[in-house]
Amino acid sequence: MPEQLLPLYGISQENAVIQPYGAGLINHTWRISTDSRTYILQRVNQAVFKHPEAIDKNLRMLKAHVAETYPGYLFVAPLPALSGETLVVHDGDHYRLFPFIDGTHAINVAGKPDEAFEAARQFARFSRLFSDFDAKRLNATLPDFHNLNLRYRQFLKACKTAGPERMSKALNSIEFARKNEHIVDVFNDIVANSRIPLRVVHHDTKINNVLFDKYNKAICVIDLDTVMPGYFISDVGDMMRTYLSPAGEEEQDTTQVQVRPDYFKAIYEGYIEEMGDIMTHIERSSFIYAGRFLIFMQALRFLTDYLQNDVYYGARYEDHNLRRAENQFTLLKRYVEHEAEFRHIAP
Ligand code: ADP
Ligand code: GN1
Ligand code: MG
């Protein structure tokens, strides 16, 4: 199937080597090597992104802004097909082709604090670049994506409609989630009351959405589908969620889920290096809350999906999304245990 796309881009199918690539959960990604160049081809997951053209429009606006204000910045945008379009429809599916950024690789778990620092600095640089861009011009590619208030209500609703077996297996997680409703109250206070500013936010700052070179220096950020108006807690929170623990979200042995304070320090320093003079007072004072917010929301999303029979994330083994949720609730516990220590790092 992906080979049929190549002629639309003027790429010969002869000698093209096509392989599934990466560890993303949402889109379908292939690496395509030809004699002269390497590419990344992606099929947009339309069950998630109902309006792929909204993503395409956002990327064009952002690319134009970068070209005008910071032309040296590596903004990884889709390449035009022969038709001139950067989003191609084939058999009802939407595809994009990106240049493969040569000499780079993605990592799934941060193995050194410096990798966390590098990634945090890259995402903060991205926010900084667009700090003078009116975020409201962007389409919300996933409306309410990080609306914790709504996610919590969706979770409560899922508890009412779930089958009895899944409900009973998930009982401990459900109870823990309900005990943490106060995390939603803080969200409502700072976000719904507009106490923190709306910015251009990446919304998926997992470590595998950064490309590193062979010296482990971060080169650029990728996976720009969820770039839309939002709040900095989304970006900083997902860094906490994915860089602090030596075990990732797929780890089933929750004793492996730990919080490494030196990685927290690295995230803080990397982020502040680029965004420090732009952040407002309330943003600075919400830095630690960002971790609670995002880890809790991801735990709820996995748990809700479990209660709804894995319709969003899918499952590769029985109770996969419940295990993912338990992993994230454990991470939340560990995170909260460390907050007093974090306050010395991020005062
Ligand atoms: P998903 O939305 O499914 O996470 P991504 O856009 O993050 O999809 O792509 C999945 C993986 O493919 C990335 O984690 C990275 O390893 C690799 N990748 C994506 N784009 C590029 C690129 N332009 N150059 C090199 N590798 C890339
Ligand atoms: C998805 O696409 P990917 O794998 O980078 C998800 C994120 C979750 C993440 C959990 C559009 O990210 O929000 O945090 O999985 N993206 C979408 O691993 O739902
Ligand atoms: Mg990704």
Side-chain angles (χ1 to χ4, degrees):
M1 176 61 105
E3 58 279 1
Q4 292 171 15
L5 271 294
L6 300 186
L8 305 180
Y9 287 90
I11 299 170
S12 160
Q13 292 181 44
E14 216 180 307
N15 298 334
V17 180
I18 306 176
Q19 296 160 309
Y21 198 71
L25 295 188
I26 300 297
N27 294 316
H28 218 103
T29 305
W30 296 271
R31 182 183 198 264
I32 298 184
S33 310
T34 69
D35 290 339
S36 52
R37 263 184 102 171
T38 307
Y39 303 91
I40 287 283
L41 177 71
Q42 237 174 22
R43 184 173 70 217
V44 181
N45 180 336
Q46 273 175 248
V48 172
F49 295 101
K50 307 265 190 285
H51 303 287
E53 65 287 350
I55 300 175
D56 197 52
K57 278 195 197 132
N58 282 355
L59 294 186
R60 271 188 270 135
M61 273 191 265
L62 295 169
K63 188 181 170 194
H65 179 81
V66 170
E68 202 177 298
T69 57
Y70 197 171
Y73 180 79
L74 178 54
F75 184 82
V76 187
L79 297 165
L82 294 177
S83 65
E85 281 166 344
T86 43
L87 183 69
V88 165
V89 186
H90 180 76
D91 270 354
D93 284 317
H94 290 71
Y95 292 84
R96 301 83 57 90
L97 186 76
F98 297 90
F100 188 94
I101 309 302
D102 280 326
T104 66
H105 62 276
I107 55 177
N108 289 319
V109 175
K112 296 187 199 97
D114 199 44
E115 291 170 353
F117 175 87
E118 285 283 318
R121 189 170 59 174
Q122 277 295 335
F123 282 117
R125 181 170 301 161
F126 185 85
S127 286
R128 183 190 181 88
L129 274 182
F130 297 107
S131 57
D132 56 350
F133 179 98
D134 179 8
K136 291 201 195 85
R137 286 175 58 204
L138 295 175
N139 299 298
T141 56
L142 293 172
D144 286 315
F145 185 43
H146 281 189
N147 180 343
L148 179 61
N149 193 31
L150 179 70
R151 296 282 185 193
Y152 190 75
R153 281 187 277 124
Q154 287 170 335
F155 153 69
L156 293 179
K157 201 168 153 205
C159 291
K160 292 201 177 119
T161 53
E165 195 191 330
R166 288 196 179 215
M167 262 315 267
S168 109
K169 282 184 179 173
L171 221 51
N172 284 342
S173 291
I174 292 172
E175 204 174 299
F176 186 74
R178 298 187 79 129
K179 274 197 192 131
N180 278 280
E181 190 180 345
H182 55 90
I183 300 178
V184 185
D185 298 336
V186 178
F187 172 84
N188 288 338
D189 181 41
I190 61 177
V191 169
N193 292 338
S194 303
R195 291 177 60 214
I196 56 174
L198 205 61
R199 297 190 183 280
V200 174
V201 166
H202 185 284
H203 283 107
D204 195 1
T205 60
K206 293 207 290 206
I207 200 107
N208 65 14
N209 286 330
V210 179
L211 297 179
F212 287 86
D213 70 10
K214 64 176 177 190
Y215 305 106
N216 273 350
K217 291 286 155 213
I219 300 300
C220 58
V221 305
I222 54 167
D223 205 349
L224 306 180
D225 301 341
T226 50
V227 176
M228 59 183 146
Y231 303 97
F232 95 104
I233 50 173
S234 289
D235 279 358
V236 167
D238 216 21
M239 294 175 199
M240 313 280 196
R241 185 180 80 80
T242 60
Y243 315 167
L244 293 183
S245 171
E249 68 190 14
E250 295 295 343
E251 178 60 61
Q252 296 177 52
D253 174 2
T254 52
T255 63
Q256 303 297 314
V257 177
Q258 301 290 340
V259 160
R260 301 172 292 184
D262 45 341
Y263 285 70
F264 178 89
K265 186 166 184 276
I267 295 172
Y268 180 71
E269 289 176 351
Y271 196 82
I272 291 294
E273 190 164 308
E274 292 283 341
M275 282 294 286
D277 55 344
I278 292 176
M279 291 169 82
T280 62
H281 178 71
I282 175 90
E283 283 181 315
R284 276 181 175 268
S285 61
S286 308
F287 200 90
I288 296 172
Y289 171 72
R292 269 191 193 218
F293 155 72
L294 205 297
I295 298 168
F296 183 52
M297 186 165 64
Q298 189 61 54
L300 283 180
R301 288 178 66 192
F302 285 141
L303 182 56
T304 304
D305 201 37
Y306 178 70
L307 296 172
Q308 295 177 333
N309 301 325
D310 318 310
V311 283
Y312 189 88
Y313 285 112
R316 289 194 303 272
Y317 61 87
E318 203 183 329
D319 299 339
H320 191 167
N321 281 310
L322 180 59
R323 296 287 101 76
R324 285 168 164 160
E326 287 164 353
N327 169 309
Q328 299 288 287
F329 282 128
T330 305
L331 183 63
L332 180 63
K333 272 184 215 147
R334 301 278 104 81
Y335 186 86
V336 171
E337 283 161 15
H338 280 84
E339 284 189 1
E341 194 177 348
F342 293 163
R343 268 182 227 113
H344 296 289
I345 301 169

mmCIF file of all heavy atoms in Angstrom, residues 48 128 132 140 187 246 289 296:
data_model
loop_
_atom_site.group_PDB
_atom_site.id
_atom_site.type_symbol
_atom_site.label_atom_id
_atom_site.label_comp_id
_atom_site.label_asym_id
_atom_site.label_seq_id
_atom_site.Cartn_x
_atom_site.Cartn_y
_atom_site.Cartn_z
ATOM 1 N N VAL A 48 -8.755 9.127 15.125
ATOM 2 C CA VAL A 48 -8.357 10.119 16.126
ATOM 3 C C VAL A 48 -8.469 11.529 15.548
ATOM 4 O O VAL A 48 -9.120 12.401 16.134
ATOM 5 C CB VAL A 48 -6.909 9.835 16.597
ATOM 6 C CG1 VAL A 48 -6.403 10.959 17.496
ATOM 7 C CG2 VAL A 48 -6.846 8.485 17.309
ATOM 8 N N ARG A 128 8.866 29.018 22.501
ATOM 9 C CA ARG A 128 9.411 30.373 22.466
ATOM 10 C C ARG A 128 9.289 30.978 21.066
ATOM 11 O O ARG A 128 8.914 32.146 20.905
ATOM 12 C CB ARG A 128 10.886 30.310 22.870
ATOM 13 C CG ARG A 128 11.544 31.641 22.932
ATOM 14 C CD ARG A 128 13.049 31.477 23.103
ATOM 15 N NE ARG A 128 13.631 32.781 23.173
ATOM 16 C CZ ARG A 128 13.769 33.464 24.282
ATOM 17 N NH1 ARG A 128 13.416 32.939 25.429
ATOM 18 N NH2 ARG A 128 14.265 34.673 24.252
ATOM 19 N N ASP A 132 5.229 34.878 19.953
ATOM 20 C CA ASP A 132 4.633 36.096 19.384
ATOM 21 C C ASP A 132 3.651 35.760 18.255
ATOM 22 O O ASP A 132 3.333 36.594 17.414
ATOM 23 C CB ASP A 132 5.736 37.043 18.882
ATOM 24 C CG ASP A 132 6.646 36.368 17.871
ATOM 25 O OD1 ASP A 132 6.550 35.131 17.707
ATOM 26 O OD2 ASP A 132 7.456 37.069 17.232
ATOM 27 N N ALA A 140 -7.966 23.796 16.453
ATOM 28 C CA ALA A 140 -7.842 22.785 17.521
ATOM 29 C C ALA A 140 -7.964 21.435 16.824
ATOM 30 O O ALA A 140 -9.071 21.000 16.489
ATOM 31 C CB ALA A 140 -8.941 22.976 18.546
ATOM 32 N N PHE A 187 -6.908 22.352 38.161
ATOM 33 C CA PHE A 187 -6.983 22.627 36.718
ATOM 34 C C PHE A 187 -8.075 23.667 36.452
ATOM 35 O O PHE A 187 -7.858 24.663 35.751
ATOM 36 C CB PHE A 187 -7.276 21.325 35.957
ATOM 37 C CG PHE A 187 -7.556 21.523 34.492
ATOM 38 C CD1 PHE A 187 -6.510 21.611 33.585
ATOM 39 C CD2 PHE A 187 -8.854 21.618 34.017
ATOM 40 C CE1 PHE A 187 -6.759 21.797 32.223
ATOM 41 C CE2 PHE A 187 -9.110 21.799 32.665
ATOM 42 C CZ PHE A 187 -8.059 21.891 31.770
ATOM 43 N N PRO A 246 12.697 5.580 34.941
ATOM 44 C CA PRO A 246 13.541 4.743 34.082
ATOM 45 C C PRO A 246 12.720 3.686 33.344
ATOM 46 O O PRO A 246 13.195 3.103 32.386
ATOM 47 C CB PRO A 246 14.503 4.078 35.072
ATOM 48 C CG PRO A 246 13.801 4.126 36.384
ATOM 49 C CD PRO A 246 12.907 5.343 36.366
ATOM 50 N N TYR A 289 2.902 21.480 39.514
ATOM 51 C CA TYR A 289 1.540 20.978 39.272
ATOM 52 C C TYR A 289 1.432 20.331 37.877
ATOM 53 O O TYR A 289 0.685 19.350 37.690
ATOM 54 C CB TYR A 289 0.507 22.116 39.414
ATOM 55 C CG TYR A 289 -0.864 21.678 38.950
ATOM 56 C CD1 TYR A 289 -1.619 20.784 39.708
ATOM 57 C CD2 TYR A 289 -1.381 22.106 37.723
ATOM 58 C CE1 TYR A 289 -2.855 20.333 39.265
ATOM 59 C CE2 TYR A 289 -2.614 21.657 37.275
ATOM 60 C CZ TYR A 289 -3.349 20.768 38.051
ATOM 61 O OH TYR A 289 -4.559 20.315 37.606
ATOM 62 N N PHE A 296 -1.827 12.362 35.843
ATOM 63 C CA PHE A 296 -3.186 11.967 36.225
ATOM 64 C C PHE A 296 -4.064 11.838 34.977
ATOM 65 O O PHE A 296 -4.813 10.860 34.821
ATOM 66 C CB PHE A 296 -3.766 13.005 37.199
ATOM 67 C CG PHE A 296 -5.131 12.663 37.726
ATOM 68 C CD1 PHE A 296 -5.392 11.430 38.302
ATOM 69 C CD2 PHE A 296 -6.168 13.592 37.660
ATOM 70 C CE1 PHE A 296 -6.656 11.112 38.793
ATOM 71 C CE2 PHE A 296 -7.435 13.285 38.151
ATOM 72 C CZ PHE A 296 -7.680 12.042 38.713
#
